[in-house]
Amino acid sequence: VQGDGSTGSAKPETWSNKADFAKRMNEQVAKLAALEKAAIEGGAAKAGPLIQTSLDCRSCHENYRVPKK
């Protein structure tokens, strides 16, 4: 649902820059899939190095989420 940021946590830029937002989301999904695969195949030893980059949500939140008060 598109909004102006008053009823949810998405900034208006989420919708006006939809292609960039979608690109970032797809990149995040791919990182999480790689993390899951590494964890299944090699456990914590293999997944550990991927955790920090796979769980970095800031690239979207800084641009597309209304800051929490």
Side-chain angles (χ1 to χ4, degrees):
V1 175
Q2 292 187 10
D4 62 5
S6 64
T7 59
S9 60
K11 290 181 179 178
E13 291 86 347
T14 305
W15 315 113
S16 61
N17 298 330
K18 200 169 187 174
D20 181 61
F21 179 77
K23 179 182 128 260
R24 290 171 190 253
M25 289 297 295
N26 289 334
E27 290 170 352
Q28 186 66 27
V29 168
K31 288 178 189 178
L32 292 171
L35 175 62
E36 178 184 36
K37 182 178 179 185
I40 290 169
E41 294 177 354
K46 191 169 181 184
L50 301 175
I51 291 174
Q52 188 170 354
T53 58
S54 297
L55 300 178
D56 181 18
C57 302
R58 283 178 285 170
S59 71
C60 283
H61 285 192
E62 288 177 350
N63 292 303
Y64 297 112
R65 185 177 187 186
V66 175
K68 292 183 179 182
K69 293 180 182 183

